[in-house]
Amino acid sequence: MLSVFILVPFAGSLIAIFFPSDQRGAISWFAGAIALVCFLVTAGLYPYVASGGVLHYRIDWVPELGLNFTLRMDGFAWLFSALITAIGVLVVLYARYYMAEEDPVPRFFALFLAFMGSMLGVVLSGNLILLAVFWELTSIVSFLLIGYWHHNAHARDGARMALTITGTGGLAMFVGLIIIGKIVGSYELDAVLASGDAIRNHPLYGTVLVLVLLGALTKSAQFPFHFWLPHAMAAPTPVSAYLHSATMVKAGVFLLVRFWPVMAGTEAWFWIVGLAGLTTLLLGAYFAIFQQDLKGLLAYSTISHLGLITVLLSLGSPLAAVAAVFHIVNHATFKASLFMAAGIIDHESGTRDIRRLGGLFHFMPITATLAMVASAAMAGVPLLNGFLSKEMFFAEAIETHLVNPLDTVTPYVATIAGMFAVTYSLRFIHGVFFGRPPADLPRKPHEPPRWMRAPLDFLVLACLVVGIIPAQTIGPFLHTAVLSVLREGTPDYSLSVWHGWNIPLIMSFVALSGGIGLYFLMRSYLATAVEGPPVFRLLQGQRIFERVLVTLSWKWARWLEQRLGTRRLQPQMRLLVFLALAAGASPLLLGNFELPPLVIRGIDPAFALLWAIGIACAIGSAYQAKFHRLASLVLLGGAGLVTCITFVWLSAPDLAVTQLLVEIVTTVLILLGLRWLPKRIEEPVAAEDISIRVRLRRLRDLLLAIGAGGGMMLIAYTVMTRPIPETIASYFLERAYREGGGTNVVNVILVDFRGFDTLGEIAVLCIVALTVFALLLRFRPQSDSLEAPEQQKVQNAFDDDHPDRAAGDSVAEYLFIPAVIMRWMFPVTGMLAAFLFLRGHDLPGGGFAAGIAMSIGFILQYMSGGTRWVEERLRIHPLRWMSIGLLVATATGVGSWFFGYPFLTSHAQYASLPVVGKFPLASAILFDLGVFSLVLGATVLILIALAHQSVRAPRAHAKAARSDKEAVR
């Protein structure tokens, strides 16, 4: 059942994006049904976790590396899942009426469901690596949700800021989780939670603590990373109500609670978490007082309450952990209701500016009453849920945990922050719903539709019921969650409304009366204030963030660009080769590297002659590059051909076939793009200095080439002559046929033993092809940038003499090759591709070689008939080939799960046909089919882009982009 939590929301997200934009009701019902199904499944699992059980669902991914798709639900994960799904249902209902007619609603609900699935993945992850994956996925999807109104500059800036801060913290956390896995010896969460002493006593505990806390504190907007949350308010209000009450910002405190048993209780934990929490608690409450925007006020109050939870978790007390979990639930209910109330006010009056609002109780009394109750819960008024967890916070604040200044100051900071909370809550109530009725609002205020207000009704009712009878309502669920975290260390606690006259109650009265008095003292100032006092403006992290961005992206980047940047390709390639050479040489120079003795056992004259030809081609290519690029390319192909023959000579026919096919395709593709290479830029210098500079430049390039080539030769020689009795080659030779079902060891390694690597490589190939196409789509060179302008003049003259010739006609006529021969080669290359594909598991060939071979057939068609002729007769659709290939390869790996095997586990057996007889058949051939499809699509996509560029006259550039896109479609 746990797989439903992951599959259903993401599947719903994929389906939702295809809904028509005008079907608002249908898409809302669909998204609501998805969220409701997840909630019902959560509710159905409660009896099992309530008895102390832990649900597990595991799919082996790469078990040798500890990477498994493990889902784990205990009482704490169940409580968070219930919050995520229940509030998700309410937000979907609310968004149905909030979103405007012109908004792309299918995109909104698709992103919403994807975020729900990502957040459920975070709380249900039973593997640390899986947790990190879903963690980063929440950052990415929240970026898209915050920037949903991408036409708004504030939304774009807020989304970018949120992604930068939370994404960076997530990467730091990922490193910390990897170190935890190495300390424990497993990435499984059950093993980690059972290894608290090993983690706390390890020398790397401090490093792990800082890295993990960076992820938690950035996600939960703790000081000094708090500034991204207010800017995220540019998102639609349903997004704010969901992300900033029960999901996004709660992920950080969820992580703190989850790792509390194994990382808390040390002095480092107390100081780092406590200092960040206390600062956030106080500053967030203070800044909330001065906000003029309703959502801004709620954003800073959210920051403050998250700081409260963080302070509780820093204390190291089991009772404080209970209070933290309790306040997580309480805050989710009253903060979601307040965001919805703010959205209703904005939706029905046209503004969220408190200075323009007032007296709305006369226009929307029901909404006003609900918002006032939720605000009172936020302020900690008795008989509401916020009061109970605040009392628990005060009770823990006055206890002594560690004798240091931070522990001493905690009760005072808690009381002041409570007073500020009353002040900003009272400002929300009094400034919006009382006073003079507004006169200049964009719209006349009125009550919202009944079902738009229904989620608000439910949440406020929950605040009241929990506040009055907590033990009978939230008590069992809270105990289940706390028991799963603290286990045998779970303390005795009481959720009674009345605990008698004690210090926490006195602190509450001080905060309540002080907050009321502070509001009325500052009321006139708050009516016109924009920000807090100047001394606190220095603490606004946004300024620091913007200065860092300006320094990195403007000052330092411009400085590097001025000194290292150039529009010429050669200096960039020279720098890249130099850095690669330095990176490869540094470990050899700094380590204890010893070169094996050189042993010459005789030289075959034929092989030496072959390499002499290859060396001559390489030197000639380098020499001709200055005078004639076409001749240089031909000689370069000759060197590649010598490499192919070398592979055959050294008994590597599979590599030879692949190298030969790649040489053909790359040579033709470079040939198509050769025409558009820019002219060489020669700086004006004295004639006597030219020869010296040219010689120095060539000497520099020669030294780099010798260093790079010599380094590769050194590595190859060292690897092939190392005295190891058994190499990895023997492992694959022994198991290729027995376990992979194929005698072509190279192909078996690629599609079976290292199929996971190959899947990643073809995904990279897909990204590269799309990037190249996108760059060439925007590349519109002018005639003065060509290598040989006189060739362009000849081309233009030819076009003028042949007005009937369309751009993209045959290239074959210039090569003096009959076009019909090239066209007849298409079925031949198709048969060759099929032959290479079918024999690839046992003989030289395979999906990659077959895909390259098939692309050669398309290249010949472009050369014979031109772009227009080909695209009028052949429907290529390279994007479909690429997507189908990636899906088939991935589906092959997923298919092994249905038989209880790890991802990409292949199965081989013999099949029999009446005439053919027995022949080997492996499931890896389906994976190879995906490789073939993606390689073909990627190669043809680049071919289309280059072909359209190469045959296009400069006069046709205005229509270029449209023709390229139509060709791909």
Side-chain angles (χ1 to χ4, degrees), residues 403-620:
V403 181
N404 56 39
L406 187 63
D407 191 68
T408 304
V409 77
T410 298
Y412 304 100
V413 175
T415 305
I416 296 173
M419 183 174 62
F420 288 164
V422 174
T423 302
Y424 63 68
S425 300
L426 189 58
R427 185 165 185 238
F428 187 97
I429 296 172
H430 188 268
V432 174
F433 301 112
F434 296 98
R436 293 182 179 179
D440 57 344
L441 295 180
R443 291 189 289 271
K444 183 178 180 180
H446 57 85
E447 289 286 358
R450 176 182 177 183
W451 288 108
M452 184 179 184
R453 199 184 60 232
L456 186 60
D457 298 337
F458 179 84
L459 292 170
V460 171
L461 179 63
C463 294
L464 282 167
V465 172
V466 172
I468 297 172
I469 47 173
Q472 293 76 20
T473 53
I474 195 64
F477 308 114
L478 178 63
H479 179 73
T480 300
V482 169
L483 186 64
S484 66
V485 175
L486 303 179
R487 300 180 182 178
E488 63 276 1
T490 304
D492 294 329
Y493 61 91
S494 173
L495 294 182
S496 301
V497 177
W498 176 253
H499 292 280
W501 295 97
N502 51 25
I503 297 179
L505 185 62
I506 296 174
M507 294 169 67
S508 295
F509 280 132
V510 171
L512 187 62
S513 57
I516 295 173
L518 181 63
Y519 170 71
F520 284 104
L521 285 176
M522 300 181 63
R523 180 182 173 187
S524 58
Y525 173 77
L526 294 175
T528 57
V530 178
E531 294 181 276
V535 65
F536 283 95
R537 297 178 188 175
L538 299 176
L539 299 176
Q540 291 184 351
Q542 176 194 358
R543 298 174 184 269
I544 302 175
F545 176 79
E546 291 174 349
R547 289 176 182 176
V548 170
L549 283 185
V550 169
T551 301
L552 293 178
S553 63
W554 180 255
K555 294 181 179 179
W556 291 3
R558 290 295 298 270
W559 184 84
L560 290 174
E561 182 184 8
Q562 291 173 359
R563 284 155 180 79
L564 302 178
T566 175
R567 297 182 63 185
R568 301 174 60 185
L569 180 61
Q570 285 185 335
Q572 297 180 27
M573 294 298 297
R574 188 180 301 121
L575 179 62
L576 183 63
V577 172
F578 175 76
L579 293 176
L581 181 61
S586 57
L588 300 180
L589 298 176
L590 299 177
N592 298 324
F593 173 74
E594 295 182 3
L595 182 66
L598 180 61
V599 179
I600 300 177
R601 300 177 180 175
I603 300 177
D604 192 313
F607 189 73
L609 178 62
L610 175 67
W611 268 70
I613 296 173
I615 293 172
C617 289
I619 296 175

Side-chain angles (χ1 to χ4, degrees), residues 656-691:
V657 170
T658 304
Q659 176 70 21
L660 179 61
L661 294 171
V662 170
E663 280 290 332
I664 295 173
V665 171
T666 53
T667 300
V668 173
L669 292 180
I670 295 175
L671 183 63
L672 291 174
L674 199 62
R675 179 186 179 190
W676 301 110
L677 287 180
K679 295 182 296 182
R680 292 178 179 83
I681 303 175
E682 298 292 348
E683 299 178 1
V685 295
E688 59 271 13
D689 295 335
I690 294 179
S691 60

Side-chain angles (χ1 to χ4, degrees), residues 908-929:
Q909 67 177 16
Y910 279 91
S912 179
L913 291 177
V915 178
V916 179
K918 289 186 177 182
F919 63 95
L921 184 64
S923 61
I925 195 172
L926 295 176
F927 182 84
D928 218 14
L929 180 63

Side-chain angles (χ1 to χ4, degrees), residues 15 24 49 56 78 239 246 295 315 383 419 455 465 474 484 503 535 560 618 644 818 877 879 898 909 929 947:
I15 297 173
R24 296 169 54 86
V49 297
H56 289 88
W78 181 92
V239 174
K295 289 179 66 175
L315 301 178
L383 297 181
M419 183 174 62
V465 172
I474 195 64
S484 66
I503 297 179
V535 65
L560 290 174
C644 297
H877 302 301
L879 294 180
F898 294 97
Q909 67 177 16
L929 180 63

Side-chain angles (χ1 to χ4, degrees), residues 25 156 195 283 292 479 645 685 891:
R156 297 195 301 269
S195 306
L283 289 183
Q292 303 295 355
H479 179 73
I645 299 175
V685 295

Side-chain angles (χ1 to χ4, degrees), residues 153-441:
H154 294 293
R156 297 195 301 269
D157 293 340
R160 182 172 60 249
M161 186 181 297
L163 179 63
T164 303
I165 300 301
T166 61
T168 304
L171 292 177
M173 184 199 73
F174 181 51
V175 177
L177 294 180
I178 291 177
I179 299 176
I180 290 177
K182 295 300 181 182
I183 294 174
V184 176
S186 173
Y187 292 112
E188 294 298 305
L189 188 59
D190 287 324
V192 172
L193 294 179
S195 306
D197 293 335
I199 295 174
R200 286 187 292 266
N201 297 327
H202 197 274
L204 292 176
Y205 168 76
T207 303
V208 170
L209 179 64
V210 171
L211 291 173
V212 172
L213 289 182
L214 278 175
L217 298 181
T218 52
K219 188 75 85 173
S220 285
Q222 298 297 285
F223 181 86
F225 313 108
H226 62 283
F227 53 88
W228 70 263
L229 183 58
H231 291 273
M233 293 301 109
T237 299
V239 174
S240 302
Y242 193 55
L243 268 65
H244 305 144
S245 65
T247 54
M248 174 75 169
V249 297
K250 292 294 173 56
V253 292
F254 168 83
L255 190 71
L256 293 178
V257 176
R258 178 57 79 196
F259 285 99
W260 191 89
V262 298
M263 302 189 73
T266 64
E267 189 172 356
W269 171 279
F270 181 84
W271 273 101
I272 298 175
V273 180
L275 191 59
L278 276 179
T279 308
T280 306
L281 169 66
L282 188 61
L283 289 183
Y286 177 82
F287 283 128
I289 296 173
F290 298 94
Q291 299 304 307
Q292 303 295 355
D293 182 86
L294 284 178
K295 289 179 66 175
L297 185 152
L298 295 177
Y300 278 104
S301 69
T302 297
I303 293 173
S304 179
H305 281 272
L306 292 171
L308 185 154
I309 299 170
T310 304
V311 172
L312 284 169
L313 294 172
S314 72
L315 301 178
S317 166
L319 278 174
V322 174
V325 176
F326 189 25
H327 196 70
I328 288 173
V329 180
N330 292 336
H331 177 261
T333 52
F334 64 68
K335 190 52 61 73
S337 60
L338 284 171
F339 270 115
M340 291 181 183
I344 289 174
I345 294 169
D346 183 24
H347 192 269
E348 306 304 336
S349 65
T351 183
R352 298 195 306 261
D353 193 335
I354 300 177
R355 292 167 297 187
R356 300 181 62 186
L357 296 169
L360 292 187
F361 187 87
H362 300 284
F363 300 96
M364 44 179 65
I366 300 177
T367 302
T369 303
L370 296 172
M372 287 189 289
V373 174
S375 299
M378 180 171 63
V381 174
L383 297 181
L384 294 170
N385 60 349
F387 171 77
L388 299 174
S389 50
K390 186 194 68 172
E391 287 291 288
M392 297 175 73
F393 170 55
F394 285 162
E396 283 301 310
I398 61 177
E399 295 290 334
T400 300
H401 303 90
L402 290 177
V403 181
N404 56 39
L406 187 63
D407 191 68
T408 304
V409 77
T410 298
Y412 304 100
V413 175
T415 305
I416 296 173
M419 183 174 62
F420 288 164
V422 174
T423 302
Y424 63 68
S425 300
L426 189 58
R427 185 165 185 238
F428 187 97
I429 296 172
H430 188 268
V432 174
F433 301 112
F434 296 98
R436 293 182 179 179
D440 57 344
L441 295 180

